[in-house]
């Protein structure tokens, strides 16, 4: 049977310009999507924009244009970011698209028909920034827990009977211990749900920018019910008998920031259960970045612009840093010093230098062709075996979204290869034992090939360049080429080597 993998990012609010936080979430998904493709999965990687709601309506009004024109314009910023970051998403969904409006209205009809939605009146606090409802007791100093201002709302509203889903949700979490990760976040959700759930207001009447509630023109759908549904829209819902839906849904992974875990791990599964649809397999909540120790915010003016990072440090170095520096799931602090340290130590020094030394030596002294190895000794075999077996460990780490661990283990092999070069000193074997020199260099090139193959998901361009320099054909860069299957052919001509990771020198 074909192996499939459906992975999603949150859909981003279009009122914001894309910043490091958005880039980070999508980057993590991109690395995982690329890993799975290389590992033979049929991957569907979805991202997009969340375009309805009061927040976007306000932003459009402030910009003095219609909400539709506004969203058309700013949604493009997120597509542009995907190109700049070299994201490999297969689809980009906008909640204003007809396919999504059809899906959102259909899930509404299902919830209504099954008796889980009823008409009443809402009176309570609303935070436009969070697009969330709060009770008096949830407020902190008169604000939402996120610090966002709240306003009093009283209006006719449809409600979803969330209170009835407490036990089914708790049962589901218990039966699927990996549904919410990391574990600390899972515990937070369980304790929140255990505290009891209130029915949720799922329609609004006091503004217009949203999807119409079917058969009741006075109401628009609550933006989170609309937005969460994007994940099944892109899987082909409501055509649930289609091959597309059958192969994609349920999703393998919803990647989100910790700020929106409750929507994904409580509301969304409850909506799906009520609509009699399967639940996604996992929701992973990653942490938040701060900037040089400070919370990132527009008002502080310290928002990190991904374009500036790419321009300053290079795309692949930026991608590497974001996934290597912070244990995935934890909060992390961005500092330019930490970035420079990573670039100069891990990339320029450890991997870059290793590749450069080996390739330029082979270029000069082995006729710019893959050397013909003699018999490999135990040391050679041991190093090669480490490089070849990395994939088993990396599968495990990628499946746990532990990107930092995957990179850490890969760099342990980089370290072992550097020690091997120093010990074997191929440069001094040139005169004394050229056959042994060829064997050592061949072993090193094979190790570099493996390092490049498994690091492609994080640094696709740099690793493509390294594989080009090793004369690995484009058709031999999947994980099935690990080991003897894709071994370098002795005698193959090599191109002129070029550095892959320049040292960062402050301007
Ligand atoms: O919440 N560090 O959209 P949004 C890390 N439209 N990640 C960050 C971050 C930071 N400092 N700031 C933002 C929404 N993020 C809804 C989602 S899904 C059906 C609807 C990331 O534009 C993180 O992934 O506010 C967070 O969850 C997301 O941006 C919020 O994006």
């Amino acid at each position: 049977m074909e192996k499939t993998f459906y992975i999603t990012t949150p859909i981003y609010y279009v009122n914001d310009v894309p910043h490091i936080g958005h880039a980070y979430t999508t980057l993590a998904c991109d690395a995982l999507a690329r890993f799975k493709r290389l590992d033979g999965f049929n991957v569907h990687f979805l991202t997009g924009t969340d375009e309805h709601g009061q927040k976007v309506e306000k932003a459009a009004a402030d910009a003095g244009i219609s909400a539709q024109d506004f969203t058309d314009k700013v949604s493009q910023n997120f597509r542009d970011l995907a190109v700049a970051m070299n994201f490999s998403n297969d689809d980009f969904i906008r909640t204003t698209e007809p396919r999504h409006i059809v899906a959102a209205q259909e899930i509404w009809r299902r919830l209504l028909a099954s008796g889980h939605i009823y008409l009443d009146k809402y009176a309570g606090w609303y935070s436009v920034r969070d697009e969330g409802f709060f009770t008096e007791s949830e407020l902190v100093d008169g604000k939402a827990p996120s610090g966002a201002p709240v306003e009093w709302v009283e209006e006719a509203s449809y409600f979803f009977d969330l209170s009835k889903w407490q036990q089914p949700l708790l049962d589901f979490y218990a039966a699927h211990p990996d549904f919410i990760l990391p574990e600390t976040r899972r515990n937070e959700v369980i304790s929140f749900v255990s505290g009891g759930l209130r029915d949720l207001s799922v329609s609004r009447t006091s503004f217009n920018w949203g999807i119409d509630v079917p058969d009741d023109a006075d109401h628009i759908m609550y933006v989170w019910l609309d937005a969460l549904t994007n994940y099944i829209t892109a899987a082909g819902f409501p055509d649930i008998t289609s091959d597309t839906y059958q192969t994609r849904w349920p999703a393998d992974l919803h990647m989100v920031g910790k700020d929106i875990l409750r929507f994904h791990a409580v509301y969304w599964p409850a909506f799906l259960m009520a609509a009699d649809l399967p639940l996604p397999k996992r929701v992973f909540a990653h942490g938040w970045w701060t900037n040089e120790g400070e919370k990132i915010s527009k008002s502080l003016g310290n928002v990190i612009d991904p374009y500036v990072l790419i321009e300053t440090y290079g795309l692949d170095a930026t991608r590497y840093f974001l996934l290597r520096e912070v244990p995935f799931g934890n909060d992390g602090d961005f500092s330019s010093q930490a970035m420079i340290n990573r670039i100069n130590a891990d990339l320029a020094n450890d991997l870059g230098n290793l590749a450069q030394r080996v390739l330029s030596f082979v270029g000069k002294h082995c006729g710019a062709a893959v050397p013909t190895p003699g018999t490999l000794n135990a040391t050679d075999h041991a190093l090669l075996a480490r490089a070849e077996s990395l994939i088993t460990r990396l599968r495990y780490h990628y499946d746990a979204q532990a990107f930092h661990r995957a990179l850490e283990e890969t760099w342990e092999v980089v370290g072992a290869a550097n020690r091997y070069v120093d010990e074997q000193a191929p440069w001094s074997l040139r005169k004394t034992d050229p056959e042994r020199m060829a064997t050592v260099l061949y072993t090193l090139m094979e190790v570099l090939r493996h390092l490049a193959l498994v690091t492609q998901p994080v640094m696709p361009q740099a690793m493509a360049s390294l594989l080009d320099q090793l004369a690995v054909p484009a058709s031999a860069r999947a994980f099935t080429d690990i080991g003897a299957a894709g071994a370098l052919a002795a005698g193959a001509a090599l191109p002129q080597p070029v550095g892959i990771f320049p040292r960062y020198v402050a301007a």
Side-chain angles (χ1 to χ4, degrees), residues 162-483:
L162 186 63
S163 58
K164 297 215 179 84
W165 296 96
Q166 179 186 22
Q167 201 51 48
L169 283 169
L170 291 172
D171 293 344
F172 183 79
Y173 303 147
H176 302 89
D178 289 343
F179 175 62
I180 302 167
L181 286 180
E183 208 186 325
T184 48
R185 300 274 168 230
R186 171 175 190 263
N187 294 339
E188 285 168 16
V189 171
I190 291 176
S191 98
F192 170 75
V193 174
S194 303
L197 297 171
R198 278 173 295 109
D199 288 356
L200 180 71
S201 167
V202 286
S203 76
R204 303 289 309 268
T205 49
S206 51
F207 66 97
N208 295 319
W209 184 236
I211 295 179
D212 290 337
V213 164
D215 309 317
D216 191 341
D218 292 341
H219 292 253
I220 55 165
M221 286 171 66
Y222 172 42
V223 65
W224 270 101
L225 174 54
D226 156 357
L228 288 160
T229 304
N230 92 87
Y231 301 129
I232 54 173
T233 304
F237 185 81
D239 191 359
I240 57 174
T241 54
S242 65
D243 280 354
T244 311
Y245 181 85
Q246 293 289 325
T247 48
R248 286 187 197 154
W249 195 256
D252 292 275
L253 179 64
H254 293 321
M255 181 68 82
V256 299
K258 64 179 183 179
D259 52 319
I260 56 172
L261 178 59
R262 194 178 290 182
F263 297 95
H264 284 81
V266 181
Y267 298 179
W268 180 228
F271 294 153
L272 288 168
M273 283 195 252
D276 198 21
L277 295 168
L279 271 52
K281 293 180 199 152
R282 179 175 297 174
V283 179
F284 191 105
H286 67 67
W288 268 45
W289 284 92
T290 49
N291 185 1
E292 311 276 353
E294 298 231 42
K295 188 176 176 292
I296 296 176
S297 83
K298 266 199 249 177
S299 51
L300 284 174
N302 65 348
V303 173
I304 301 173
D305 178 350
Y307 290 98
V308 172
L309 295 186
I310 298 168
E311 176 69 21
T312 313
Y313 303 106
L315 173 59
D316 278 355
T318 299
R319 290 174 57 113
Y320 175 81
F321 173 82
L322 292 174
L323 293 179
R324 174 65 187 84
E325 184 67 6
V326 176
F328 198 72
N330 292 5
D331 290 334
D333 185 42
F334 180 88
S335 85
S336 38
Q337 196 52 55
M339 175 76 128
I340 294 166
N341 291 349
R342 285 277 170 210
I343 292 175
N344 287 347
D346 301 8
L347 300 184
N349 220 31
D350 295 349
L351 181 56
N353 242 350
L354 174 71
Q356 184 74 10
R357 281 160 88 193
V358 171
L359 291 167
S360 58
F361 190 81
V362 171
K364 274 201 201 98
H365 302 293
C366 304
V370 176
T372 306
T375 311
L376 274 63
N377 70 22
T379 314
D380 309 334
H381 277 301
L383 180 65
L384 252 187
R386 278 190 75 173
E388 288 178 7
S389 63
L390 249 184
I391 186 65
T392 314
R393 304 285 307 143
L394 299 197
R395 281 194 184 107
Y396 173 80
H397 291 314
Y398 272 87
D399 281 339
Q401 288 74 58
F403 305 104
H404 61 294
R405 288 289 300 133
L407 290 169
E408 205 170 27
E409 289 215 30
T410 306
W411 256 253
E412 282 169 20
V413 177
V414 173
N418 274 311
R419 286 191 296 279
Y420 173 90
V421 179
D422 293 340
E423 284 157 19
Q424 303 296 323
W427 352 110
S428 49
L429 291 169
R430 191 156 74 92
K431 296 226 165 66
T432 55
D433 191 349
E435 187 187 320
R436 177 67 198 147
M437 175 193 80
T439 309
V440 168
L441 291 170
Y442 183 84
T443 304
L444 282 164
M445 288 181 70
E446 269 293 281
V447 170
L448 283 171
R449 180 175 74 88
H450 284 92
L451 291 169
L453 288 177
V454 300
T455 310
Q456 293 177 95
V458 175
M459 297 191 282
Q461 287 175 349
M463 293 306 108
S465 162
L466 183 49
L467 290 165
D468 289 346
Q469 296 184 54
L470 292 162
V472 175
S475 58
R477 297 182 180 187
F479 294 159
T480 43
D481 298 297
I482 284 171

